[in-house]
Amino acid sequence: MLQKSRKLPGKTRALLQSLWIGAPSSAGIRTSQADMTQNTQITGGCQCGVVRYSVETLGRSSVCHCRMCQRAFGAFYAPLVIVHGLEWTKEQPSYFASSNISRRGFCNQCGTPLSLENVDDDQIEIATGTLDDPERAPPTVQINHRYACSFSDGIGALPEPDKDTIDGNDAWNATVISNQKP
């Protein structure tokens, strides 16, 4: 089990939170609590269904471009959302201490990245894609953008494939029987 590290000095802690974990809403980043915390249950979990969770409310949703997040997610960036009132409702995740100030929760059965937890406070971020309804947490800010892969800003502008390729992909996808849960 990861032990808590020593408390960081206030200025260092605030800097790390604003750069790495993400700036608080008071720093001018708009967090739409009304849009992200409807009165329906907020749940999610890993792809194999072994680890499940529920949360009371969602906070700021972001994408982080730091190299640790890139490696943890095996992707160009990590979509994360701050959660409040997290309860692991099925199995607990396993953890990897990715730095001296954080640990990352994951399913030890299927490998799904689930959480990023700051060990010096109670802030927990959940991998947005693990929400049963990720549409509830659209990103509102990019964190550590200076570490972004040089091509990541242009991903949304990439062309879609031609109609034959789309039809081929649709036909292939129709044959897939997912083992993901729920």
Side-chain angles (χ1 to χ4, degrees), residues 79-99:
L80 296 160
V81 59
I82 294 173
V83 296
H84 307 283
L86 171 67
E87 179 184 347
W88 300 107
T89 58
K90 204 169 174 190
E91 296 294 322
Q92 297 278 322
S94 293
Y95 290 94
F96 171 69
S98 59
S99 75

Side-chain angles (χ1 to χ4, degrees), residues 45-46 49-53 87-95 106-109 114:
C46 67
V50 168
V51 180
R52 296 286 301 159
Y53 62 83
E87 179 184 347
W88 300 107
T89 58
K90 204 169 174 190
E91 296 294 322
Q92 297 278 322
S94 293
Y95 290 94
F106 63 95
C107 174
N108 66 15
Q109 298 296 305
L114 293 162

Side-chain angles (χ1 to χ4, degrees), residues 138-152:
T140 59
V141 66
Q142 296 185 68
I143 305 298
N144 291 310
H145 190 265
R146 69 175 166 263
Y147 302 114
C149 293
S150 63
F151 51 80
S152 65

Side-chain angles (χ1 to χ4, degrees), residues 1 5 11 16 18 28 40-41 48-49 57 61 74 78 86 89 92 105 114 118 121 125 127 132 157:
M1 178 166 200
S5 64
K11 284 185 178 181
L16 286 172
S18 69
T40 58
Q41 188 175 23
C48 74
T57 60
S61 184
L86 171 67
T89 58
Q92 297 278 322
L114 293 162
N118 186 345
D121 60 30
E125 295 182 73
D132 290 338

Side-chain angles (χ1 to χ4, degrees), residues 68-173:
M68 285 195 301
C69 280
Q70 290 173 8
R71 287 188 178 207
F73 279 72
F76 308 131
Y77 49 80
L80 296 160
V81 59
I82 294 173
V83 296
H84 307 283
L86 171 67
E87 179 184 347
W88 300 107
T89 58
K90 204 169 174 190
E91 296 294 322
Q92 297 278 322
S94 293
Y95 290 94
F96 171 69
S98 59
S99 75
N100 63 317
I101 62 170
S102 65
R103 68 183 189 165
R104 294 173 187 270
F106 63 95
C107 174
N108 66 15
Q109 298 296 305
C110 66
T112 301
L114 293 162
S115 67
L116 171 59
E117 302 178 23
N118 186 345
V119 298
D120 283 339
D121 60 30
D122 294 332
Q123 180 168 296
I124 298 174
E125 295 182 73
I126 290 293
T128 308
T130 67
L131 289 166
D132 290 338
D133 183 5
E135 291 283 336
R136 295 186 70 175
T140 59
V141 66
Q142 296 185 68
I143 305 298
N144 291 310
H145 190 265
R146 69 175 166 263
Y147 302 114
C149 293
S150 63
F151 51 80
S152 65
D153 286 342
I155 291 173
L158 291 174
E160 292 192 19
D162 59 66
K163 183 174 178 353
D164 289 342
T165 302
I166 292 172
D167 291 344
N169 287 344
D170 288 346
W172 182 84
N173 286 329

